Amino acid sequence: MKCDIKIYTLWYAENSSFLRYAALPRENVCTENLTPWKKLLPCDTRRGLAMLLHPAPLYTAHYHALSIHLRPTCQDESCTSSHLELVQALSLVQNPTVSMEGHQDWSLRQLFSAPLISTCPLASMSKVYVDVTTNKDRQSFILYPEPDSIDVSGSGDSLRHLAVYDARQALNNDIFDLEAHYQSRHVYGLIPPPHLHVSRFVTGYGQEGGSITVKLTNTGGQPLSVVYLEVLPWYLRLFLHTSHTHQQMQSAYMSKLVTARDRERGWLYEAVVEIPAGATKELSLEFTRALLKWLEYPPDANHGFYIPAATVSVVLPTPRNVSVNSLDGTCLKDKLILNEGASFVRIHTETLLVSLPTPDFSMPYNVICLACTVVALAFGPIHNITTKKLVLKKIEDKASPLSKLLTKLKSLLKRSKMEEKETKGTDNKQEPVIVEENPLYDDREELEDIKEEEESEEDKTASEDENKKDR
Amino acid sequence: MNTPWAECIAKRVELSTPLNSWKRVEEGVFLHSQGIAVYSGGVFHETPFCLLFGGFLIRSWQSYLHLIFVGCDLLTAALLASVASSYSRQLLEQQKNAVSQFASDASHLLLTSSALGTGVVYVAAAYLFCPYTIASCVAQTTSVFANLIIAAAFASMVKGYPVIFGTLVALVAYQSFYPVCLMVPGILFFMQNDSHNLKAALLKPLLSFLVSLGLLMVISAEVAGGWEFLEATYGFILAAPDLTPNIGLFWYFFTEMFEHFRLFFLATFQINAFVYVLPLAIRLRKDPVLLATALLAFTAVFRSYPALGDVGIYLSLLPMWKHLYPFMRQTFIVGCMFVATSVLGPIMYNLWIFSGSANANFYFAVTLAFNTAQVMQG
Amino acid sequence: MERSRLPAILEKHHRPICIVLYVVGIIWFVALAHNAFNHGTYFSENALLPGLVQGDFHSDSLATQYLESLKEESEKHTSGMPYSWLAGQFTQLGLDTFTHNFTLHYPLGSEKVFTGKNVYGILRASRGSSTEAVVVSAPYRPPTSLLQGNAPSIALMLAMASFFSKQVYWAKDLIFLVTEHEQLGAQAWLQAYHRTQSGAGVLNHGDLEGRAGAIQAAINLEIHSSQVSHIDVKVEGLNGQLPNLDLFNLIHRLCQRENVYHTFKNRGNHPQPETFHGWVHQVGTLFSMISSQASGVPTGNHGLYHRYGIAAVTLEGQHSMHHPRNRRSVSFQQLGRVLEGVCRSLNNLLERFHQSFFFYLLPATNRYISIGVYMPPFGMIAGGILVKALALWYSTSCAAEQQEQEKVKKIDYGLLGGFPTVVMVHIVSVLLHNAPYRFSQVGRYLALSAEDSVFLGTFAFCASLLVLPYYISRNLGLQNRSWEIVKIYAVLELGILVFAGAVYNFSLALIVTVAYTPVALLTSPSISRWRRWLKAAILLLVHPLTMLFLFVLMDTWSNFSDLPPNKLLWKTYIATKRALMYSVVDGLIYSNWVYDVAVQCLLPVWLLFWQIALHPIQ
């Protein structure tokens, strides 16, 4: 099997319009993803290194990543036809010392709950590599069984010592359980930070707004130019003018922005940030939170909404602290040999959780009724004053409530009967009374007669009272 | 405006809606300067003219911005005072012509010029000292400019300049759509004033309105580079997709609405905002200024994104009719409701959004009570 | 113009109506402490699943070791915090450890600058992606501190961190926080975490290097001894804000499960709550909660988290002789299991606390009074204010009409007539609100401490305000304005203050209502001299400063009941000075708005009443 196969064509890698970027921030990687991933392997889960991958120890690890890479590669030297190359990678960070009171001896059985018992017959090679760069002179730990060889590559920041085990040969003894025995217990010390580290968080409190702040720290000796790409959902309404004022434009240049449309597309924001050596740069995007329609909330609406991780792409000047920086090779061995000089690194920031204001989900009918009540409260009186006419009525002397009731009943039975105020200057107060003016009534003529008589008087006082009714 | 309170006030939802917030204008201007299509996103919903005007203000007058807003408020108050004085003069004249028909003991109901004189002062003072308009000005909302144009439209109507009136109403309708109903009282006024030339009185304001509106649309299309601004401005006002809380009825109603009925209720609510024009016009045909104020009041309650600036302008016009206050019932209750809901509203909003202790229902209930008080007032 | 009958009836009988409403309201409120009127607590958030799993904590010996070494370390640092030791312990447990520096520019007096440092370690959840976090915090108290030592909390926290780091079920990150300078450190940490500023910006919060996502809940530990007699749960937060009731219930349920004696306000539950003595006991607990909530001062560091939407409580454990029953003292193991259960339940949470009540009063650890139950009696007590306002409005409009009919213009009943008085009173209060800084400056020249200068300045200012009515009525020529209009303004303002305040800080509103409603009803100018002095004396009793003094007096008497009266009064005087100073400073640092409300809202109302009481009668 050749390890140095060329890429078939690079056209897809050089034209950024072919880039598609998607993120599912809420999904957790779990056994559901691991099982189909394992089934892509030629020997499935029945033989080979994949037998080490039991779910329980994998998902108690501190960091876990699965990846699949597909690319067209040349079939032979002349590169006339292409193969499709599939590279599957599983990254795991485990911390066995925590449960062992500082003892840091580890073995395959302990890390994966089973040793290696077979290799895949379809594989052309099956190797295990251990990075022993820090173990010169075997002072820190001793590997058991002894490695078949130790490959040294690179120098300076790209120096690598790799202990190589050929799994096929090791399995002549039926079981291959790689162990490391350490001389002393582990002491947590100061860990030198990597060349570039990124931290992203939400500032502000409450559910009205906030801002997404990114802190980019460059601990190296050279300035770095970093591309920051972020995809945000539409319900965080960004206000970019606060973060891209004139002063800030010098160090952070917004290279691409696709504005969001409500319920159609989200935000795509890309900025290029210049970070001087040994400095920290901050980028902060102010947003306000939208109120969604009640059916757009997930069942656990008060959990919040996830914001996908942002991507930071940088070309580091040295491969210090980089695992793999050669993209050309196919075999793991070639990838583990670091190239001196620039290394391309893509870092993903933390995902964020923002909680949006929620309406009360139990109240749709109540809300509709109450809002319509207010509309009706306006409609009713307006309808009243625009369809009814005010007419004067002489007030009666104070009568007992019973006689009043009787007169009211009488008036209801006899239909509306209006009396006119005959003399002016009486000492009775004028009390306007609302009378139904309905053209269907029989005594419309009576109405019209009376109307003519009191029209002049009514003009002045009626307009006054109309205005009063308006209020 | 230079105090730390200014930023706090500018964020308040009762004052800044997605339509009149100055922050959005700044964002729109920024996006425009970056060459990004402003109306393809969902942040900027002002008209292209406002984009130009706002851009000019931000680029050249950034440090004097608050002075400009205060100046606009003062100008508005002066215009309203002139409206009040003209109107009261007209009322007195009308009363003089009709005094022979009145009952003799109705003399205490007659208007006097001194009472009307104080009415003018009260109108100006009401606008300048109304907490709603002051807060609107401090928050730097574009309602300040809309109020200025409305006051100018009133002034041109009362002083009898139909062409200017048509243009001003076109300007304000172009910006906030709902004040287009002010054309009706305007036309009524001109027809009454100019009773021997009805056709001219009808056509002059109407034509100037249509021509100005057409010009504005064409200029906007040029500035915005196409007609997609229509969807972002008028489409936004009519469809109300942004459910940010405000003092209106739309937001919570449409948050809790079933999708199936959305279009139906949207149409109902928008028609409701305009349905009172015709009946009130028929009823109040003799008093167009009152009609205009009443229409302003109803649009302030029933528009899709009301703000306290819209409430402030019609409240400050009310002292013109202070001779009617003795006939008003429930002034005390309505006044108390206004004060109580204005105090409780921000409290409930804070409790919902910042403390997380209360619910959206409390804020909506207080908003409903505020609107009820306005309706009872109007 | 004929009016409807109702206001007339109301005005005629408003006095007895108001008195009846007030008395019935108070009786109803006090009766709420009886179990027949309140409800038992229950869990609304089913995701908590409290106590579902057997507690597994067994590292109490480790906790004892940590306690010994911490005590040794603190002997070496008598006034500061052993930062490096703490940071080292967190690091050795495998946590991400960070320190956080903050500075306080003291706003009054000599404007000293205080610096402090917090130490915190983050246990990253292996299955989660650092989107949510739970905080376990403990304030560090050096041996020279006046408060009870807190070393056992930190030791327990370290033991818990060691135990938790071996577990695999964490979905949220755990932040273990040790703060310095009590509430200042906690406030600085929270401000740095959320990058916000509160108060007058005098607290420079620095920046945090490590964060863990959105904080869902926080537990603050104040355990004063390794063998405590009971666990007291403290809930009152800044400005009277309370955490979600579910968190309180969670602690009590887990304490019950682990056989830990648990109390609220250091009072356990009465064995027979249905009897009269049980009711009296619960009334005592209720009033204790009201008095601590009204001050707006948080009873522990947890109170600062509520503003950020984070549910938090403080667990205090002390070795007290007040519970002499034959209860075994609570060991580290039991405490550890309680804390483990709490953290596991919080780990189960999918959503933030939102289901249960945020506004409640607690007469016992297992009974609660929700807002829907305590608002009606409060509405009755305060209803008298509204009835009085309506009655006054009606009587003034009748009097105005009558005056107009008689064509005599003796008294001006216009609404705007009362405006100048109201405006002046508010201007004066705003002056007083901004005055403490000036007072402390003046005090510096006179070589007085900031406490003394602020108190004396405020006292002098208020004393000078007593002659304000004479100035207003004589110099401003407002004699012929109606005092009833001014009273309408005053009563309406009081009503708004009380009802708006009831939503935010119910206890404060309750105390103000109970004190001011009779005053609102009684205040009116009188002709007879001794009546005027009597009303003035009653008004002086409810002046905000006197009320502060009285409350501090009650508090001092309950704590030191065996002192002779003159010593008691002297202690009260010193405590009042301190209380005033703290409320001013708290307002500037934490934005505790009790001082602001008392000076800018309550004092104007009082001044208006004072002006009415001394209004010259024609």
Side-chain angles (χ1 to χ4, degrees):
Chain A
M1 157 113 186
K2 293 200 180 71
C3 283
D4 53 349
I5 295 177
K6 286 201 306 261
I7 314 285
Y8 185 54
T9 47
L10 284 173
W11 53 267
Y12 62 89
E14 286 166 354
N15 190 345
S16 68
S17 65
F18 290 105
L19 174 71
R20 299 289 181 268
Y21 177 73
L24 284 172
R26 192 166 181 161
E27 284 295 316
N28 281 324
V29 179
C30 65
T31 324
E32 269 183 16
N33 308 101
L34 182 66
T35 313
W37 185 90
K38 283 199 282 191
K39 290 193 176 150
L40 285 175
L41 294 168
C43 287
D44 210 315
T45 50
R46 296 194 194 100
R47 293 273 193 276
L49 289 166
M51 288 189 73
L52 286 177
L53 304 176
H54 297 281
L58 288 188
Y59 294 107
T60 56
H62 276 248
Y63 175 78
H64 170 92
L66 285 175
S67 74
I68 297 176
H69 298 264
L70 284 166
R71 61 182 182 180
T73 52
C74 301
Q75 211 167 18
D76 50 19
E77 285 293 335
S78 57
C79 211
T80 45
S81 54
S82 67
H83 273 144
L84 201 59
E85 176 197 77
L86 168 67
V87 176
Q88 289 179 246
L90 168 73
S91 309
L92 214 57
V93 174
Q94 283 172 311
N95 190 0
T97 54
V98 165
S99 47
M100 291 202 303
E101 308 294 335
H103 293 286
Q104 43 182 342
D105 302 347
W106 56 265
S107 68
L108 281 184
R109 195 192 292 267
Q110 188 193 359
L111 292 179
F112 298 104
S113 72
L116 190 63
I117 56 175
S118 67
T119 59
C120 182
L122 294 172
S124 51
M125 71 168 151
S126 209
K127 291 209 162 115
V128 176
Y129 301 91
V130 182
D131 189 337
V132 293
T133 319
T134 53
N135 196 28
K136 306 177 191 51
D137 315 324
R138 293 150 61 112
Q139 288 299 320
S140 311
F141 58 88
I142 299 173
L143 289 173
Y144 182 80
E146 288 289 327
D148 300 334
S149 63
I150 296 190
D151 291 354
V152 182
S153 66
S155 63
D157 275 328
S158 62
L159 177 70
R160 275 245 159 107
H161 290 244
L162 291 172
V164 183
Y165 292 87
D166 192 335
R168 291 226 165 90
Q169 283 178 5
L171 280 174
N172 290 337
N173 311 333
D174 288 328
I175 294 179
F176 174 45
D177 187 16
L178 179 63
E179 288 174 10
H181 295 283
Y182 281 74
Q183 314 280 22
S184 53
R185 295 161 77 106
H186 180 73
V187 174
Y188 288 91
L190 272 178
I191 303 165
H195 198 144
L196 173 75
H197 64 268
V198 182
S199 163
R200 190 173 76 142
F201 47 93
V202 175
T203 61
Y205 65 96
Q207 293 173 332
E208 190 182 42
S211 96
I212 296 179
T213 307
V214 184
K215 267 169 70 167
L216 303 142
T217 310
N218 176 7
T219 56
Q222 292 175 17
L224 287 179
S225 187
V226 159
V227 176
Y228 175 78
L229 173 75
E230 188 155 43
V231 172
L232 295 171
W234 65 266
Y235 39 81
L236 298 186
R237 302 205 163 95
L238 291 183
F239 288 95
L240 295 160
H241 67 277
T242 47
S243 50
H244 280 275
T245 53
H246 259 291
Q247 302 100 320
Q248 288 165 337
M249 286 299 266
Q250 270 127 35
S251 58
Y253 159 69
M254 186 168 70
S255 54
K256 185 162 181 73
L257 176 69
V258 174
T259 51
R261 275 183 85 86
D262 279 10
R263 301 181 181 88
E264 278 176 44
R265 60 169 192 251
W267 298 89
L268 176 71
Y269 171 78
E270 187 182 87
V272 178
V273 187
E274 306 282 338
I275 317 175
T280 304
K281 271 270 176 271
E282 270 188 26
L283 199 58
S284 100
L285 300 170
E286 197 183 327
F287 62 86
T288 53
R289 302 174 204 217
L291 186 68
L292 306 176
K293 298 181 195 165
W294 70 310
L295 293 171
E296 288 174 347
Y297 286 93
D300 51 352
N302 282 288
H303 179 63
F305 291 75
Y306 284 93
I307 309 299
T311 314
V312 174
S313 313
V314 65
V315 176
L316 295 177
T318 65
R320 169 169 75 93
N321 224 7
V322 171
S323 319
V324 164
N325 74 346
S326 55
L327 300 173
D328 290 332
T330 298
C331 301
L332 186 57
K333 184 179 73 165
D334 293 326
K335 288 188 197 279
L336 287 175
I337 294 173
L338 296 175
N339 300 333
E340 271 290 338
S343 312
F344 175 76
V345 168
R346 182 167 278 152
I347 305 175
H348 296 270
T349 64
E350 299 96 326
T351 51
L352 302 172
L353 188 64
V354 290
S355 48
L356 296 181
T358 55
D360 191 345
F361 297 102
S362 55
M363 294 258 296
Y365 296 109
N366 307 20
V367 165
I368 294 174
C369 292
L370 287 171
C372 293
T373 307
V374 174
V375 174
L377 270 177
F379 194 80
I382 299 280
H383 184 263
N384 258 352
I385 52 168
T386 50
T387 55
K388 292 179 187 162
K389 211 170 156 93
L390 287 175
V391 167
L392 295 173
K393 181 183 149 198
K394 178 177 157 196
I395 203 172
E396 285 123 20
D397 292 318
K398 297 253 157 102
S400 71
L402 186 60
S403 58
K404 274 198 199 157
L405 193 62
L406 283 172
T407 34
K408 265 203 178 138
L409 283 172
K410 274 190 225 162
S411 63
L412 274 174
L413 290 170
K414 281 190 198 167
R415 294 268 169 88
S416 46
K417 206 179 183 186
M418 293 144 310
E419 292 164 64
E420 190 191 327
K421 185 167 183 340
E422 282 131 7
T423 56
K424 301 171 189 175
T426 55
D427 51 354
N428 281 350
K429 288 195 189 159
Q430 296 177 3
E431 182 183 350
V433 160
I434 305 169
V435 167
E436 303 267 348
E437 182 178 278
N438 194 321
L440 296 178
Y441 281 148
D442 285 341
D443 43 3
R444 183 166 167 68
E445 289 167 81
E446 197 184 310
L447 273 170
E448 284 188 344
D449 291 340
I450 298 168
K451 239 199 296 186
E452 279 168 282
E453 279 165 15
E454 60 181 14
E455 193 150 20
S456 55
E457 217 171 68
E458 207 187 23
D459 254 0
K460 167 69 174 76
T461 45
S463 67
E464 297 274 1
D465 297 318
E466 275 167 30
N467 297 337
K468 171 199 134 182
K469 273 295 166 193
D470 282 352
R471 299 286 178 261
Chain B
M1 285 231 231
N2 292 332
T3 64
W5 293 102
E7 220 186 281
C8 195
I9 290 179
K11 282 196 201 163
R12 293 242 51 105
V13 286
E14 293 93 355
L15 298 164
S16 311
T17 64
L19 282 179
N20 70 1
S21 157
W22 186 251
K23 197 165 184 195
R24 295 214 180 204
V25 172
E26 286 179 330
E27 181 69 14
V29 167
F30 169 76
L31 289 177
H32 196 63
S33 69
Q34 296 286 310
I36 298 167
V38 179
Y39 291 105
S40 66
V43 171
F44 187 71
H45 298 290
E46 295 265 13
T47 54
F49 199 69
C50 196
L51 187 64
L52 274 181
F53 182 57
F56 168 70
L57 278 181
I58 290 170
R59 273 190 294 272
S60 332
W61 297 81
Q62 180 63 38
S63 35
Y64 302 112
L65 212 52
H66 49 278
L67 286 176
I68 291 178
F69 277 92
V70 171
C72 285
D73 253 5
L74 290 171
L75 201 56
T76 314
L79 282 169
L80 288 177
S82 78
V83 167
S85 67
S86 302
Y87 178 65
S88 49
R89 234 178 302 127
Q90 285 169 9
L91 270 185
L92 274 175
E93 265 184 44
Q94 272 180 7
Q95 192 182 244
K96 221 179 355 176
N97 294 342
V99 77
S100 51
Q101 300 166 356
F102 295 159
S104 61
D105 64 342
S107 54
H108 66 280
L109 296 171
L110 286 177
L111 310 164
T112 62
S113 57
S114 64
L116 290 173
T118 51
V120 172
V121 172
Y122 281 172
V123 165
Y127 188 79
L128 287 174
F129 294 108
C130 180
Y132 300 146
T133 44
I134 294 180
S136 246
C137 186
V138 172
Q140 287 186 356
T141 60
T142 56
S143 296
V144 168
F145 302 124
N147 285 355
L148 176 62
I149 304 176
I150 290 177
F154 263 80
S156 62
M157 170 171 96
V158 161
K159 295 201 196 291
Y161 298 112
V163 177
I164 299 180
F165 175 75
T167 315
L168 287 169
V169 173
L171 198 58
V172 75
Y174 166 73
Q175 212 222 331
S176 37
F177 187 69
Y178 287 94
V180 72
C181 58
L182 287 178
M183 280 304 289
V184 174
I187 290 179
L188 276 175
F189 185 88
F190 292 125
M191 285 171 71
Q192 278 172 13
N193 252 15
D194 202 10
S195 46
H196 29 270
N197 210 350
L198 281 181
K199 242 193 166 174
L202 173 64
L203 282 179
K204 265 199 249 177
L206 202 58
L207 274 178
S208 73
F209 171 79
L210 289 171
V211 166
S212 320
L213 199 59
L215 265 176
L216 283 169
M217 287 295 176
V218 169
I219 297 176
S220 312
E222 280 298 313
V223 170
W227 293 95
E228 56 177 11
F229 76 94
L230 284 176
E231 198 197 323
T233 48
Y234 303 114
F236 182 79
I237 295 177
L238 289 175
D242 188 338
L243 298 169
T244 318
N246 49 59
I247 55 172
L249 304 165
F250 275 65
W251 64 279
Y252 206 44
F253 193 85
F254 288 103
T255 307
E256 303 269 12
M257 171 63 52
F258 296 101
E259 277 308 304
H260 189 62
F261 298 109
R262 187 173 195 84
L263 199 56
F264 169 70
F265 275 106
L266 205 53
T268 311
F269 268 61
Q270 295 291 1
I271 290 174
N272 178 57
F274 286 106
V275 79
Y276 300 110
V277 175
L278 200 56
L280 276 179
I282 296 175
R283 192 51 164 161
L284 297 174
R285 62 186 178 279
K286 300 195 185 118
D287 201 348
V289 181
L290 179 61
L291 172 66
T293 313
L295 286 177
L296 266 186
F298 281 112
T299 52
V301 175
F302 293 120
R303 67 193 307 168
S304 46
Y305 291 101
L308 285 179
D310 308 322
V311 175
I313 185 145
Y314 85 81
L315 277 182
S316 55
L317 280 171
L318 289 183
M320 283 205 280
W321 293 279
K322 71 185 234 309
H323 52 278
L324 294 176
Y325 283 176
F327 298 106
M328 282 168 57
R329 292 205 275 238
Q330 311 154 335
T331 30
F332 185 64
I333 306 264
V334 168
C336 283
M337 270 179 88
F338 261 102
V339 174
T341 50
S342 304
V343 168
L344 274 180
I347 291 180
M348 288 303 175
Y349 181 77
N350 271 22
L351 278 180
W352 170 36
I353 296 283
F354 291 103
S355 306
S357 323
N359 229 337
N361 299 331
F362 299 106
Y363 180 68
F364 187 61
V366 172
T367 311
L368 281 182
F370 181 71
N371 286 328
T372 310
Q374 282 191 74
V375 161
M376 282 161 64
Q377 168 82 358
Chain C
M1 205 80 296
E2 193 185 290
R3 295 162 189 272
S4 89
R5 292 283 162 78
L6 187 58
I9 301 173
L10 204 65
E11 201 267 337
K12 213 160 63 159
H13 303 288
H14 80 271
R15 228 173 253 270
I17 290 179
C18 292
I19 294 176
V20 162
L21 280 176
Y22 183 74
V23 170
V24 169
I26 289 191
I27 294 177
W28 186 1
F29 187 79
V30 175
L32 285 179
H34 191 268
N35 279 4
F37 295 98
N38 53 43
H39 306 279
T41 55
Y42 60 94
F43 281 96
S44 305
E45 176 69 67
N46 293 319
L48 280 172
L49 301 169
L52 192 69
V53 187
Q54 180 75 18
D56 204 17
F57 180 74
H58 49 267
S59 323
D60 43 335
S61 50
L62 188 62
T64 323
Q65 276 176 19
Y66 277 126
L67 183 59
E68 294 302 323
S69 24
L70 178 60
K71 282 203 170 128
E72 276 175 35
E73 280 295 320
S74 41
E75 298 300 318
K76 296 184 207 159
H77 302 76
T78 42
S79 58
M81 194 162 101
Y83 309 113
S84 32
W85 184 85
L86 280 169
Q89 295 304 314
F90 279 132
T91 320
Q92 289 314 314
L93 291 171
L95 311 180
D96 294 349
T97 314
F98 307 96
T99 54
H100 162 235
N101 297 318
F102 61 92
T103 333
L104 171 70
H105 302 273
Y106 197 70
L108 301 175
S110 47
E111 295 183 14
K112 281 205 306 200
V113 172
F114 295 95
T115 57
K117 219 178 194 181
N118 297 328
V119 178
Y120 65 105
I122 306 182
L123 173 64
R124 302 280 182 194
S126 48
R127 289 181 192 220
S129 42
S130 288
T131 48
E132 298 160 291
V134 170
V135 173
V136 177
S137 86
Y140 177 77
R141 290 174 186 158
T144 54
S145 159
L146 296 165
L147 302 161
Q148 286 178 299
N150 207 25
S153 312
I154 301 179
L156 181 64
M157 194 167 78
L158 286 169
M160 300 300 306
S162 159
F163 172 71
F164 285 156
S165 58
K166 299 186 179 68
Q167 309 307 320
V168 298
Y169 43 69
W170 296 112
K172 304 181 165 66
D173 287 359
L174 284 164
I175 303 179
F176 297 96
L177 171 68
V178 179
T179 55
E180 199 183 8
H181 296 315
E182 288 304 308
Q183 293 178 9
L184 205 57
Q187 176 70 13
W189 190 82
L190 281 169
Q191 277 185 218
Y193 198 93
H194 294 96
R195 291 248 181 128
T196 56
Q197 196 66 258
S198 68
V202 293
L203 184 57
N204 179 4
H205 52 72
D207 196 20
L208 293 185
E209 285 154 21
R211 288 180 169 80
I215 303 179
Q216 306 286 309
I219 308 283
N220 188 41
L221 297 173
E222 285 182 13
I223 309 209
H224 304 303
S225 147
S226 53
Q227 299 283 326
V228 296
S229 56
H230 64 277
I231 286 284
D232 190 44
V233 182
K234 301 200 275 197
V235 293
E236 297 88 347
L238 184 66
N239 293 326
Q241 211 174 344
L242 299 170
N244 199 302
L245 190 57
D246 268 340
L247 186 58
F248 180 80
N249 297 342
L250 176 69
I251 311 268
H252 283 290
R253 171 73 66 90
L254 285 165
C255 285
Q256 222 175 5
R257 197 172 191 276
E258 300 291 337
N259 284 323
V260 173
Y261 184 53
H262 50 109
T263 62
F264 176 63
K265 309 305 277 170
N266 274 322
R267 299 163 72 97
N269 288 348
H270 197 272
Q272 288 129 6
E274 306 286 329
T275 63
F276 177 75
H277 288 287
W279 173 69
V280 168
H281 182 84
Q282 291 192 182
V283 166
T285 316
L286 183 65
F287 279 6
S288 173
M289 178 175 178
I290 289 177
S291 61
S292 59
Q293 197 190 8
S295 65
V297 175
T299 43
N301 283 4
H302 66 284
L304 301 164
Y305 289 80
H306 299 150
R307 191 214 317 251
Y308 300 92
I310 304 169
V313 289
T314 296
L315 298 184
E316 188 180 17
Q318 48 191 337
H319 193 73
S320 138
M321 306 309 291
H322 285 258
H323 300 274
R325 294 163 196 254
N326 293 333
R327 275 177 215 278
R328 278 173 294 158
S329 38
V330 181
S331 64
F332 265 150
Q333 167 121 335
Q334 284 172 290
L335 283 177
R337 295 232 168 135
V338 167
L339 203 53
E340 179 200 349
V342 170
C343 289
R344 283 196 82 156
S345 287
L346 293 174
N347 188 40
N348 290 341
L349 279 180
L350 264 185
E351 306 174 286
R352 285 178 176 257
F353 278 107
H354 67 284
Q355 298 270 25
S356 190
F357 299 97
F358 286 97
F359 298 105
Y360 50 87
L361 292 172
L362 299 167
T365 61
N366 54 357
R367 311 289 301 182
Y368 74 98
I369 303 170
S370 72
I371 186 170
V373 174
Y374 68 60
M375 269 308 204
F378 176 78
M380 284 190 82
I381 300 175
I385 300 176
L386 300 176
V387 168
K388 182 74 180 172
L390 262 176
L392 271 173
W393 173 261
Y394 180 74
S395 67
T396 48
S397 39
C398 278
E401 263 184 31
Q402 201 177 19
Q403 212 178 231
E404 217 176 283
Q405 280 190 346
E406 291 166 13
K407 306 271 192 242
V408 183
K409 199 94 185 283
K410 262 198 314 182
I411 307 178
D412 176 16
Y413 280 106
L415 254 189
L416 295 177
F419 225 59
T421 319
V422 173
V423 165
M424 162 155 293
V425 149
H426 275 280
I427 290 176
V428 156
S429 331
V430 168
L431 282 176
L432 180 57
H433 174 248
N434 294 326
Y437 178 65
R438 306 269 173 247
F439 290 152
S440 69
Q441 298 278 358
V442 167
R444 263 169 71 184
Y445 287 125
L446 300 176
L448 282 175
S449 76
E451 241 175 53
D452 284 325
S453 49
V454 167
F455 181 75
L456 289 173
T458 313
F459 185 75
F461 197 95
C462 291
S464 65
L465 285 179
L466 292 181
V467 301
L468 194 66
Y470 297 105
Y471 173 72
I472 286 183
S473 49
R474 304 271 158 76
N475 294 11
L476 290 186
L478 298 173
Q479 291 106 317
N480 56 344
R481 308 269 177 119
S482 156
W483 64 268
E484 284 163 327
I485 296 289
V486 175
K487 185 158 183 189
I488 291 179
Y489 276 115
V491 161
L492 279 181
E493 218 178 295
L494 179 66
I496 290 173
L497 170 68
V498 144
F499 278 105
V503 174
Y504 259 126
N505 187 344
F506 174 75
S507 310
L508 186 61
L510 182 70
I511 292 174
V512 166
T513 317
V514 166
Y516 274 72
T517 309
V519 165
L521 297 178
L522 287 177
T523 313
S524 57
S526 326
I527 305 175
S528 78
R529 225 164 173 210
W530 72 269
R531 258 199 159 162
R532 277 167 92 92
W533 291 127
L534 182 67
K535 286 195 179 163
I538 295 178
L539 264 181
L540 278 175
L541 255 187
V542 295
H543 188 278
L545 263 185
T546 13
M547 278 177 75
L548 176 68
F549 182 80
L550 288 172
F551 276 114
V552 173
L553 178 67
M554 281 201 296
D555 191 47
T556 321
W557 182 71
S558 65
N559 283 340
F560 306 95
S561 42
D562 46 343
L563 281 181
N566 57 336
K567 277 221 162 114
L568 192 69
L569 281 174
W570 181 249
K571 239 185 154 60
T572 312
Y573 167 67
I574 294 186
T576 313
K577 267 196 311 185
R578 210 164 280 167
L580 183 64
M581 178 70 168
Y582 284 163
S583 63
V584 171
V585 173
D586 276 1
L588 291 170
I589 299 178
Y590 307 107
S591 33
N592 183 339
W593 45 252
V594 171
Y595 179 73
D596 294 353
V597 162
V599 167
Q600 287 186 312
C601 303
L602 196 56
L603 190 62
V605 170
W606 187 89
L607 284 172
L608 285 174
F609 282 139
W610 182 253
Q611 212 264 323
I612 294 166
L614 296 181
H615 189 98
I617 285 268
Q618 290 84 356

